[in-house]
C-alpha cells in the first residue's frame, strides 16, 4: 500500500517483484484479493505533506485514482500480459542478436569405439593394464548370465506354476462356439489380431435338419463334411475383440438366414468339391502280430538253433576264423618263392624301376 500511495508523488519507475517474492500476485492467485482501503497512516512524511495540500475534490480524485491503480495492479490479467511482453521482447532480441555457431571439438575414437553409432561419448580407449577381458569374452559372459537366469527360472519359478493349474472342464452344450487366439508374448506381430472360430453345425441349438443343410450351403467352402466342422477366421480389424465380435455377428446372421423359411435352397445341391479327404491307411491284418504268429516265429527260431548245432557236430559248419588262418598260411609259404625270382636286366629293368 505504501508503494501504491507514493506513486502519484514520485517520478521513479515501478519495478515488478521477483519470482520468489511472496508478495507477487502470481504467488497469491489462490488467495482471495483484499478489498481496497485508504490508509493515511501508512504515508510517509513527504507524502502526507503533499496530501494535505490537496483540496477536498483533489483528495477524492486521488483516492479514486489510487483505487483504480490498485485494482489494475492486482488483476490476474496484468501479470500474463507482462509475461507476454517480456517473452516477445526476449524473442525479438534473440532474432536481432547474431548467434555464433559453436562446433564441439572432435573426439578421436579409440579402437574399441570404432563402428559405434555414437562415437562422441566414447572417447579414446583407456590404457589396458591387464585387469579386464576382451569384448568377445564379455559377450560369452553375458550369454552365460542369461543361461543361468533361465535356469533359475526353470528351477524355482516354473514349478510354482502348478499351483495355478486348473482342471480341464469341457465346454457346456449351450456354448458351441470355440474361439482361438494367437499371442506372441508381448511382441508386436501382424498375426496377433487374428481370431479363428470353429463350431459344429449339429451343436447349434434350434436348427432342424433342413435348416442345418441350408446353413451348410450358406457356409460353402468353410465346411468340413468329414467331421462336421465349420472354420472361419477374421483379421480385418486392429484388435482381437473387434474380430471376435465380427465373427459372432456373422454367425447370428447365418443362423437367421438358415431359419428363414421363404427360401430353403432346395434347388441348390450340396457341393463338397472343395474338400479333399485325406487317405486313411490301415495296417494289414496279416501283418498284425497275433498269438499264433508269435508261436510260429518262436518255433522257427528254435528249429534254426537246432539245425546249427547238428551241422556243428557233423563238421559241416564253416568256421570263418579257421578259413582266414589257412589263407594266411598259404600266402606266407608263397612269399619266399616270389622273392627268389631274379629281376630283369638292361632296359627292361629301367622300365620296371620307372613303373
Amino acid at each position: 500500500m505504501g508503494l501504491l500511495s507514493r506513486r502519484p508523488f514520485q517520478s521513479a519507475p515501478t519495478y515488478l517483484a521477483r519470482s520468489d517474492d511472496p508478495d507477487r500476485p502470481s504467488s497469491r492467485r489462490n488467495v482471495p484479493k483484499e478489498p481496497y482501503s485508504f490508509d493515511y497512516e501508512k504515508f510517509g512524511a513527504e507524502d502526507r505533506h503533499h496530501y494535505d495540500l490537496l483540496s477536498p475534490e483533489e483528495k477524492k480524485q486521488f483516492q479514486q485514482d489510487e483505487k483504480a491503480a490498485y485494482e489494475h495492479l492486482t488483476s490476474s490479467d496484468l501479470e500474463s500480459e507482462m509475461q507476454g511482453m517480456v517473452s516477445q521482447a526476449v524473442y525479438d532480441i534473440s532474432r536481432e542478436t547474431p548467434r555464433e555457431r559453436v562446433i564441439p571439438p572432435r573426439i578421436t575414437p579409440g579402437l574399441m569405439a570404432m563402428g559405434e553409432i555414437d562415437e562422441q561419448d566414447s572417447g579414446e580407449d583407456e590404457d589396458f593394464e591387464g585387469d579386464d577381458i576382451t569384448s568377445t569374452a564379455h559377450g560369452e559372459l553375458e550369454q552365460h548370465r542369461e543361461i543361468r537366469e533361465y535356469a533359475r527360472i526353470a528351477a524355482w519359478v516354473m514349478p510354482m506354476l502348478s499351483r495355478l493349474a486348473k482342471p480341464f472342464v469341457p465346454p457346456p452344450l449351450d456354448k458351441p462356439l470355440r474361439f482361438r487366439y494367437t499371442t506372441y508374448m508381448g511382441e508386436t506381430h501382424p498375426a496377433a489380431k487374428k481370431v479363428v472360430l470353429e463350431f459344429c453345425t449339429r451343436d447349434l441349438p434350434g436348427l432342424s435338419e433342413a435348416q442345418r443343410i441350408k446353413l451348410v450351403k450358406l457356409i460353402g467352402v468353410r465346411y468340413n463334411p468329414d467331421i462336421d466342422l465349420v472354420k472361419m477366421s477374421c483379421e480385418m480389424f486392429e484388435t482381437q475383440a473387434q474380430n471376435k465380435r465380427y465373427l459372432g455377428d456373422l454367425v447370428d446372421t447365418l443362423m437367421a438366414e438358415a431359419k428363414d423359411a421363404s427360401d430353403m435352397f432346395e434347388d441348390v445341391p450340396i457341393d463338397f468339391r472343395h474338400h479333399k479327404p485325406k487317405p486313411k491307411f490301415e495296417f494289414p491284418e496279416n501283418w498284425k502280430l497275433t498269438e499264433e504268429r508269435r508261436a510260429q516265429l518262436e518255433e522257427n527260431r528254435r528249429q534254426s538253433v537246432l539245425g546249427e548245432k547238428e551241422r556243428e557236430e557233423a563238421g559241416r559248419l564253416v568256421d570263418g576264423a579257421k578259413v582266414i588262418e589257412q589263407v594266411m598260411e598259404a600266402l606266407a609259404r608263397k612269399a619266399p618263392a616270389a622273392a627268389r625270382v631274379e629281376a630283369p636286366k638292361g632296359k627292361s629293368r629301367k622300365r620296371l624301376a620307372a613303373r
Side-chain angles (χ1 to χ4, degrees):
M1 290 295 293
L3 178 62
L4 296 176
S5 61
R6 291 193 298 271
R7 184 179 180 185
F9 305 103
Q10 295 181 1
S11 60
T14 303
Y15 296 94
L16 294 177
R18 298 181 304 174
S19 59
D20 55 349
D21 191 350
D23 296 334
R24 188 180 181 186
S26 61
S27 62
R28 296 183 285 109
R29 289 178 180 177
N30 300 328
V31 180
K33 184 173 64 175
E34 297 180 359
Y36 169 77
S37 61
F38 180 76
D39 192 357
Y40 179 79
E41 300 297 334
K42 294 184 178 180
F43 286 2
E46 185 178 358
D47 295 338
R48 291 182 182 181
H49 175 70
H50 287 287
Y51 183 78
D52 294 338
L53 295 178
L54 299 176
S55 61
E57 293 78 5
E58 292 176 345
K59 291 181 179 180
K60 184 176 180 181
Q61 184 65 30
F62 172 77
Q63 295 179 5
Q64 293 177 358
D65 295 342
E66 188 180 36
K67 181 178 180 181
Y70 176 79
E71 295 292 340
H72 175 67
L73 294 176
T74 56
S75 62
S76 59
D77 299 335
L78 178 62
E79 183 178 1
S80 60
E81 182 180 356
M82 294 296 294
Q83 291 292 342
M85 294 173 62
V86 171
S87 301
Q88 184 65 29
V90 171
Y91 176 73
D92 296 339
I93 294 174
S94 63
R95 295 191 62 183
E96 295 175 0
T97 305
R99 296 184 178 180
E100 296 182 359
R101 184 180 178 184
V102 180
I103 301 177
R106 180 68 180 179
I107 301 177
T108 304
L111 179 62
M112 301 302 295
M114 289 184 179
E116 298 293 337
I117 298 177
D118 189 3
E119 298 178 351
Q120 294 293 329
D121 297 336
S122 58
E124 298 183 0
D125 298 338
E126 299 179 357
D127 295 336
F128 182 70
E129 299 179 358
D131 56 349
D132 200 357
I133 58 180
T134 61
S135 58
T136 306
H138 276 292
E140 294 290 339
L141 188 60
E142 184 65 26
Q143 183 180 6
H144 183 71
R145 293 195 187 99
E146 185 177 0
I147 294 174
R148 287 176 62 88
E149 179 182 0
Y150 283 110
R152 286 192 294 269
I153 293 175
W156 303 104
V157 180
M158 296 183 68
M160 293 189 295
L161 296 178
S162 59
R163 304 176 183 175
L164 305 178
K166 297 181 180 179
F168 173 74
V169 179
L173 297 178
D174 57 346
K175 296 181 180 179
L177 304 182
R178 298 184 295 273
F179 295 92
R180 188 177 74 235
Y181 311 93
T182 305
T183 178
Y184 292 87
M185 305 302 292
E187 296 183 3
T188 303
H189 196 277
K193 60 184 180 180
K194 183 178 180 180
V195 180
V196 181
L197 170 64
E198 295 181 353
F199 64 91
C200 297
T201 58
R202 289 184 172 84
D203 295 340
L204 296 177
L207 287 181
S208 63
E209 184 62 22
Q211 294 174 351
R212 190 188 70 83
I213 294 176
K214 181 181 178 181
L215 178 63
V216 170
K217 295 177 182 179
L218 291 174
I219 292 173
V221 298
R222 296 173 178 83
Y223 179 70
N224 187 351
D226 289 346
I227 55 177
D228 186 31
L229 182 67
V230 179
K231 184 176 181 181
M232 297 184 296
S233 63
C234 179
E235 52 182 341
M236 295 188 303
F237 304 99
E238 294 297 330
T239 60
Q240 293 180 348
Q242 291 174 321
N243 293 319
K244 179 181 179 181
R245 180 60 181 271
Y246 174 79
L247 292 175
D249 296 341
L250 184 59
V251 173
D252 293 340
T253 304
L254 291 173
M255 291 279 291
E257 291 294 334
K259 294 180 180 179
D260 187 8
S262 60
D263 187 2
M264 297 301 293
F265 293 177
E266 296 177 352
D267 56 336
V268 179
I270 300 178
D271 188 5
F272 292 151
R273 289 179 296 177
H274 64 277
H275 179 67
K276 306 298 180 183
K278 297 181 180 180
K280 297 181 180 179
F281 301 100
E282 296 183 0
F283 199 79
E285 292 292 336
N286 54 351
W287 289 9
K288 294 181 180 180
L289 187 62
T290 60
E291 294 296 335
E292 294 79 5
R293 180 62 177 171
R294 185 179 290 106
Q296 182 181 358
L297 293 176
E298 292 293 339
E299 181 64 24
N300 294 341
R301 295 191 188 98
R302 191 176 65 82
Q303 294 294 337
S304 177
V305 172
L306 293 177
E308 290 182 359
K309 289 184 178 180
E310 292 177 358
R311 288 194 296 269
E312 183 179 0
E313 293 175 355
R316 292 183 289 114
L317 186 64
V318 179
D319 191 353
K322 292 182 179 180
V323 173
I324 294 175
E325 290 179 359
Q326 293 174 2
V327 173
M328 295 298 294
E329 291 176 357
L331 292 176
R333 287 193 300 268
K334 294 180 180 180
R340 290 192 299 268
V341 176
E342 295 182 0
K345 299 180 181 180
K347 296 181 180 181
S348 300
R349 183 178 184 181
K350 294 181 179 179
R351 294 196 201 99
L352 184 61
R355 290 178 184 177

